[in-house]
Amino acid sequence: VQLASRVRLALGLELGFEALFEHPRLAALAAKLAQSTQAQTLAPIEQASRTEPLALSLAQQRLWFLTRLGGVSQAYHLSDAIRLRGELDPASLERALGRIVERHEALRTRFVQVDGE
């Protein structure tokens, strides 16, 4: 998985897992990548406009529908606990959490119902 991801990032090529197993030696895999007809060049991902509401993905629509149908479920909530040792520095913890939220858009995302959707 890491190799396919690094090939995608470094070369802009989509390399399927099947090809990785069919060509377990690096030289054979490099030859496979060199064949532009068999490897797909990926189009860059363009940032979506933020001037109007974004459409939900199919998975998000499904979860929204299930929530409307049966109420809020705990099934998709993930929780974890971390034990910290030593003295807690609240300001440092707040800065660290702020950086995580700043880096990951999903943690800043909210869903608002507009006209029943």
Side-chain angles (χ1 to χ4, degrees):
V1 172
Q2 288 181 2
L3 179 60
S5 176
R6 290 181 182 179
V7 165
R8 183 181 307 114
L9 289 173
L11 304 176
L13 298 174
E14 185 65 36
L15 182 65
F17 294 122
E18 183 177 293
L20 292 173
F21 288 106
E22 288 176 355
H23 307 283
R25 298 197 185 274
L26 192 55
L29 188 58
K32 171 78 173 172
L33 287 172
Q35 298 173 354
S36 62
T37 58
Q38 293 183 0
Q40 294 181 336
T41 302
L42 298 177
I45 297 174
E46 294 184 23
Q47 186 172 2
S49 169
R50 297 298 196 258
T51 58
E52 52 190 60
L54 300 174
L56 295 179
S57 69
L58 292 176
Q60 291 168 331
Q61 289 177 25
R62 177 182 170 273
L63 290 174
W64 177 84
F65 176 78
L66 291 174
T67 299
R68 300 296 297 166
L69 185 66
V72 176
S73 168
Q74 300 298 319
Y76 296 99
H77 294 196
L78 302 175
S79 62
D80 201 355
I82 299 172
R83 183 178 302 271
L84 301 175
R85 293 198 170 101
E87 190 172 333
L88 177 65
D89 179 356
S92 294
L93 179 60
E94 185 174 350
R95 274 194 314 275
L97 292 174
R99 284 187 176 173
I100 292 170
V101 169
E102 185 179 308
R103 180 178 172 135
H104 299 282
E105 186 174 2
L107 298 175
R108 301 185 310 274
T109 302
R110 63 189 184 103
F111 299 93
V112 180
Q113 184 171 324
V114 178
D115 298 328
E117 291 189 21

